[in-house]
Amino acid sequence: MFPIGVVAGIISSSVGMASLATYPSLLYIGDMPAIAANVTNTSSMIFTGMGSGLSSIPELRGHVRQLLLTLVCTFIGSIGGTYLLLSEPSASFKKVVPFFILIAGIMILWPKKPLNENSENHQRKVRVWEYLIGGLAFLIAGIYMGYFGAGAGLILIAVLSHITDEPYPVYNAIRNVSSLSANVVAMTIYAIKATVYWVMVIPLGIGLFIGGYIGPKIVRVIPEKILKTVVGICALVLSVVLFYQTYF
């Protein structure tokens, strides 16, 4: 699980799709039930957030407002998502997940419309609406993180790309720290209410920490347009895969 964790950590801290590698690996290598693999996977993901958070300190400076918004909303949402998984493992929530990811992919690939040269008051109103919608999207993403999490980072990237004028490395760093918050909440509840395979968490978590630290450094040197294109295409592909797994 250690080398899988390193690769997954790099993927997670750069584009946000680590669970697509770690969750199937836990099912296969760990030979554990699906829900146990899910909670073990989520518990391991806190190490990605730690590594990427340390590596992203330069990008996070001066962006406390955006970080607090995503942290609070994902924190609250993850509590609901965690209890949803424990109470309704086959809930219909999973049926709408492919559409969340599809919308995220379209948002990432769709160019952000620049603010026109209207009054400062008008621009402020536009920003307020963007942050309100963004907060709701972060809340939904937090629920999804607590429930399953595969591709949740894509949702956060999509929203942040439209409510901030900052470059990709900055809102990717905000997304990584917000994901850490949601995963810590989920891990705490799982440790009390469910069975976490800690023997798998340790090697996977070490790998995720290392990979999570490497990811932001890679993001800094790749052009933003290439990154957003790759992430957007990955989201569209993931939405198709999840749709097929859910409905067929």
Side-chain angles (χ1 to χ4, degrees):
M1 294 305 298
F2 172 74
I4 293 172
V6 174
V7 174
I10 294 173
I11 295 172
S12 175
S13 57
S14 54
V15 299
M17 299 174 63
S19 293
L20 300 181
T22 55
Y23 177 71
S25 298
L26 285 169
L27 286 174
Y28 180 74
I29 298 175
D31 190 26
M32 60 185 73
I35 295 179
N38 197 346
V39 299
T40 301
N41 177 65
T42 301
S43 300
S44 302
M45 284 298 157
I46 66 169
F47 294 96
T48 304
M50 291 178 182
S52 61
L54 286 174
S55 186
S56 300
I57 290 175
E59 284 81 11
L60 293 172
R61 290 195 183 101
H63 299 93
V64 176
R65 183 186 301 175
Q66 295 98 325
L67 181 58
L68 286 177
L69 174 65
T70 52
L71 273 174
V72 171
C73 292
T74 54
F75 180 89
I76 295 172
S78 65
I79 296 174
T82 300
Y83 278 103
L84 177 64
L85 173 67
L86 296 177
S87 61
E88 297 288 343
S90 58
S92 58
F93 178 80
K94 294 182 72 172
K95 294 182 180 180
V96 300
V97 167
F99 302 101
F100 288 157
I101 304 299
L102 175 63
I103 293 171
I106 294 173
M107 287 178 63
I108 293 170
L109 293 173
W110 196 276
K112 180 181 177 181
K113 183 179 179 181
L115 287 174
N116 55 33
E117 298 298 327
N118 288 340
S119 67
E120 182 180 340
N121 185 51
H122 174 75
Q123 294 185 14
R124 189 180 299 113
K125 289 180 179 179
V126 171
R127 286 301 185 206
V128 168
W129 277 107
E130 286 181 343
Y131 275 94
L132 287 174
I133 296 172
L136 177 60
F138 295 145
L139 184 66
I140 294 173
I143 294 172
Y144 182 41
M145 284 179 189
Y147 185 82
F148 182 55
L154 297 171
I155 298 175
L156 290 177
I157 289 174
V159 178
L160 285 166
S161 68
H162 280 265
I163 70 169
T164 179
D165 295 321
E166 303 298 335
Y168 184 93
V170 172
Y171 58 77
N172 182 60
I174 294 172
R175 186 266 305 179
N176 282 327
V177 176
S178 299
S179 298
L180 170 62
S181 170
N183 288 329
V184 167
V185 171
M187 183 201 70
T188 302
I189 296 175
Y190 290 153
I192 298 172
K193 299 275 189 179
T195 301
V196 178
Y197 285 62
W198 297 107
V199 69
M200 303 297 287
V201 169
I202 294 172
L204 180 59
I206 295 173
L208 286 168
F209 181 88
I210 295 172
Y213 190 84
I214 295 172
K217 297 182 180 296
I218 296 175
V219 166
R220 289 180 191 134
V221 299
I222 300 178
E224 180 172 353
K225 187 173 182 180
I226 294 176
L227 279 169
K228 291 185 67 174
T229 301
V230 171
V231 174
I233 292 174
C234 287
L236 296 180
V237 172
L238 176 59
S239 69
V240 173
V241 172
L242 293 176
F243 182 87
Y244 180 82
Q245 292 177 345
T246 303
Y247 291 95
F248 296 97

